[in-house]
Amino acid sequence: PSRVVDPATSGRAADVDGSSGVESTRSIARVARRDARFDRGSIVRRTGRGFVARRATRRMGALRAVLSHPGDVAPLVRVKMMANAAKRLPKDPDLAYCYDVLNKVSRSFAIVIQRLDAELRDAVCVFYLVLRALDTVEDDMSIPIERKVPDLLAFHEYIYDANYSADCGEKHYKDLMKNYPRVTSVFLGLKKEYRTVIADITKRMGHGMAKFIEKEVMDMADFDEYCHYVAGLVGIGLSNLWGVSKMESAEFVGEEKLSNAMGLFLQKTNIIRDYLEDIQELPAPRMFWPRSVWSKYAEELDDLQHEENREKAVQCMNELITNALSHSLDCLKYMSRVKEISIFRFCAIPQVMAIATLAECYGNENVFKGVVKIRRGLSARIMLKCNNMLELASGFKHFANELVHKVDPKSDPNGEETMARIEALEEACDEIIAKETERMRKEQIEDDSIPMATRIVLWLLCFGYFLYAWNLENVRESLGVNRHAGDPLVDDAQKVLATICIISTTALVMAGKKR
């Protein structure tokens, strides 16, 4: 599990209590209680037959989702094609390795990064892999704490060491750490401005991770600080990359308040969604929900997973969702400043995914039974409909409206505050939608929809007809037409029509020239 936020999929944070490999007495007791609750069914689920059964169940679930939402088929096909395109590797062997391992550790992020402009694509890819490597060191519980902390504090220096590698992590992360010199090779080939940004964020994140290795998230201030280290810094680093690339305004460099809010919105969403997976983590639970919140609803955080505490658990979760919504307005403000289309899509997609996930989780007791996710078809639709502020605000408004229909201020102690947050978000979305709709209407009116070449051709045709109708320069005789033949009334009508046509097309040409 990842501690670093994934900009494409809002990747989950990692552990606080027990991540250092040193368990508290309370943690050991929780593990013992959880182990005692394992039954024969949980053992069977770990066997090969259980794996096959789960895979078949997932496939049937996916088929039912498509049948119940046939409109998802086209978006799913398009996203599948995008995923296949993301697997095409560059010719440089080290760069090819970076994109290959990126596809393995985060397929959805690989898709969105491939849609970035070439100027930023490699820098963002390396930025992500550097933070993944840092996270792998922090997340490996086999590393003694006395060695882990110095490694976290010095990791920003390791990324300049062409020979640095480490034997830690599992599966694809282990491969990443083993072959880390290949990432370093690409990193050292980036522009100096990009290297400086990546090293600075790596240093700040490493120090933050070291701080929270044995520190429990006690209150909302701790919650915000923790999410800042593992996600807010990612947003700040990306903003700095946008600015130094000159693809966005230089004002993005050093802009931390809104950038941090972007990361916190994603991270808090994942911490909320992944409660059960984190609390059942072995050998020790991962506890990210702040004690000042969950202690109002239960004696211990892991008590919320039990059926008898379900009502209190849902209320606790709803309070955290309400807190996460506090960052939504800053996210809209940030996005309104982004102008480059590929950067806009890169930033917008995870934000809409996050609010869609919050809408899915709110009041949903299934969060305490398993991992709740939005359906794949909806995810595909979101990936294809985040191209401008109108689409972004419409997406936020849609899921805010879903939340409205779930909130019950009478039964939820935080219901009134939740409604106030949602109403503020909807009001902001309505303003953006109205503004963007009017802007697009004006652009459409002012748009030079008929090319100048087409206008000139139309004018020439009308001019020729004008010469024919008035028989100027003996056009009719030159065409072999008897000027005295025909009805005089028809001739007069043609003269009037030709005059109107030449005046109209002349005005059309002149209007296009002014624009």
Side-chain angles (χ1 to χ4, degrees):
S2 170
R3 180 185 282 270
V4 179
V5 70
D6 184 330
T9 61
S10 313
R12 197 183 77 253
D15 55 327
V16 175
D17 183 51
S19 67
S20 63
V22 181
E23 297 178 349
S24 65
T25 303
R26 187 173 62 250
S27 296
I28 296 174
R30 288 196 190 98
V31 174
R33 289 199 303 272
R34 186 170 63 251
D35 288 346
R37 289 193 296 269
F38 281 170
D39 57 13
R40 184 174 181 276
S42 65
I43 297 174
V44 171
R45 282 194 294 273
R46 297 183 182 188
T47 66
R49 286 182 300 169
F51 173 77
V52 172
R54 290 198 305 275
R55 185 167 59 181
T57 301
R58 285 197 298 267
R59 287 179 176 175
M60 289 301 295
L63 179 59
R64 282 195 297 269
V66 169
L67 292 176
S68 58
H69 299 89
D72 290 348
V73 174
L76 283 169
V77 170
R78 289 184 60 186
V79 170
K80 176 63 176 175
M81 293 172 65
M82 291 161 57
N84 291 336
K87 295 178 181 178
R88 296 176 192 149
L89 303 178
K91 294 182 179 179
D92 179 83
D94 290 335
L95 190 58
Y97 173 78
C98 288
Y99 281 99
D100 181 51
V101 75
L102 176 67
N103 272 287
K104 293 175 180 176
V105 300
S106 180
R107 184 173 55 184
S108 15
F109 185 62
I111 293 175
V112 294
I113 195 177
Q114 289 288 9
R115 302 182 76 189
L116 280 172
D117 186 86
E119 171 64 28
L120 281 164
R121 195 179 302 142
D122 295 346
V124 175
C125 174
V126 171
F127 182 41
Y128 181 83
L129 292 179
V130 168
L131 297 186
R132 274 296 185 188
L134 173 65
D135 174 65
T136 301
V137 172
E138 190 279 337
D139 202 37
D140 192 328
M141 295 176 63
S142 69
I143 303 176
I145 189 171
E146 59 271 15
R147 183 160 65 88
K148 180 182 292 186
V149 170
D151 281 349
L152 293 174
L153 296 176
F155 199 83
H156 65 286
E157 298 173 357
Y158 297 162
I159 65 178
Y160 285 96
D161 184 352
N163 297 314
Y164 171 78
S165 64
D167 183 16
C168 61
E170 296 180 356
K171 298 180 180 179
H172 301 309
Y173 301 102
K174 189 177 186 69
D175 179 73
L176 169 64
M177 299 308 297
K178 180 181 178 181
N179 291 281
Y180 194 78
R182 307 185 75 171
V183 179
T184 303
S185 174
V186 179
F187 168 76
L188 295 176
L190 296 175
K191 293 180 179 178
K192 181 181 178 181
E193 296 86 352
Y194 297 153
R195 297 199 306 270
T196 300
V197 169
I198 294 172
D200 173 63
I201 297 300
T202 304
K203 179 179 180 180
R204 294 166 67 180
M205 186 176 288
H207 281 67
M209 286 180 169
K211 178 178 180 178
F212 271 90
I213 276 186
E214 294 185 289
K215 178 181 170 73
E216 183 180 355
V217 179
M218 295 297 296
D219 52 28
M220 296 308 296
D222 284 346
F223 193 39
D224 286 346
E225 183 182 14
Y226 172 71
C227 291
H228 162 74
Y229 285 131
V230 300
L233 285 174
V234 179
I236 292 169
L238 289 170
S239 291
N240 289 339
L241 290 177
W242 310 152
V244 299
S245 71
K246 296 184 170 55
M247 295 188 66
E248 289 290 350
S249 167
E251 295 177 357
F252 276 87
V253 178
E255 200 299 303
E256 299 206 353
K257 179 179 180 295
L258 299 181
S259 303
N260 186 60
M262 293 277 284
L264 264 61
F265 189 56
L266 304 184
Q267 189 67 18
K268 289 182 178 182
T269 296
N270 280 286
I271 288 176
I272 292 166
R273 182 196 65 188
D274 295 337
Y275 163 82
L276 190 65
E277 182 179 343
D278 290 332
I279 206 67
Q280 293 185 346
E281 182 74 19
L282 293 174
R286 298 174 180 273
M287 299 189 298
F288 306 117
W289 289 23
R291 175 179 286 272
S292 62
V293 174
W294 62 256
S295 61
K296 292 187 290 185
Y297 302 93
E299 292 185 5
E300 298 291 349
L301 179 57
D302 66 348
D303 292 341
L304 296 176
Q305 65 183 303
H306 306 316
E307 182 70 33
E308 61 270 20
N309 301 320
R310 196 55 42 84
E311 182 179 356
K312 290 293 185 182
V314 170
Q315 291 176 353
C316 180
M317 174 182 63
N318 289 348
E319 181 173 346
L320 290 177
I321 290 176
T322 302
N323 172 262
L325 288 171
S326 66
H327 304 294
S328 59
L329 295 180
D330 281 341
C331 292
L332 291 177
K333 290 178 184 177
Y334 180 94
M335 293 306 305
S336 68
R337 300 182 181 184
V338 179
K339 305 303 178 186
E340 204 278 327
I341 180 61
S342 69
I343 294 176
F344 187 94
R345 281 194 300 252
F346 180 90
C347 297
I349 290 170
Q351 299 300 318
V352 180
M353 295 273 198
I355 193 168
T357 301
L358 292 178
E360 187 71 23
C361 289
Y362 189 91
N364 188 348
E365 65 178 29
N366 289 326
V367 171
F368 302 94
K369 300 177 182 178
V371 177
V372 173
K373 297 181 179 180
I374 60 176
R375 71 177 193 276
R376 292 180 62 188
L378 178 57
S379 176
R381 286 173 179 264
I382 291 172
M383 292 187 73
L384 299 173
K385 292 287 288 182
C386 286
N387 300 299
N388 52 55
M389 278 303 295
L390 179 59
E391 293 181 351
L392 175 70
S394 297
F396 265 66
K397 175 71 181 293
H398 172 79
F399 293 111
N401 188 56
E402 284 193 4
L403 279 166
V404 166
H405 290 88
K406 291 186 173 184
V407 180
D408 183 1
K410 294 181 179 179
S411 63
D412 192 321
N414 300 285
E416 291 185 3
E417 184 180 356
T418 307
M419 286 299 297
R421 294 265 168 87
I422 296 172
E423 288 170 2
L425 176 58
E426 287 188 312
E427 183 178 346
C429 289
D430 286 338
E431 290 179 4
I432 293 172
I433 291 170
K435 178 181 177 181
E436 290 298 305
T437 301
E438 179 63 16
R439 181 184 64 80
M440 290 182 175
R441 186 188 68 82
K442 289 181 178 179
E443 286 183 353
Q444 187 173 9
I445 293 174
E446 296 174 357
D447 181 38
D448 200 3
S449 55
I450 304 178
M452 180 56 71
T454 303
R455 295 168 189 256
I456 292 174
V457 169
L458 288 173
W459 185 87
L460 291 173
L461 290 173
C462 289
F463 182 67
Y465 179 54
F466 181 81
L467 294 178
Y468 175 85
W470 288 89
N471 195 31
L472 300 177
E473 303 295 331
N474 297 317
V475 170
R476 292 194 178 189
E477 285 80 352
S478 64
L479 294 174
V481 178
N482 186 349
R483 61 178 297 182
H484 300 293
D487 190 335
L489 290 177
V490 174
D491 288 344
D492 291 340
Q494 288 197 80
K495 290 177 182 179
V496 173
L497 180 60
T499 301
I500 294 173
C501 287
I502 195 65
I503 292 173
S504 300
T505 52
T506 299
L508 185 65
V509 171
M510 296 304 295
K513 186 175 181 180
K514 288 180 181 179
R515 289 176 185 150

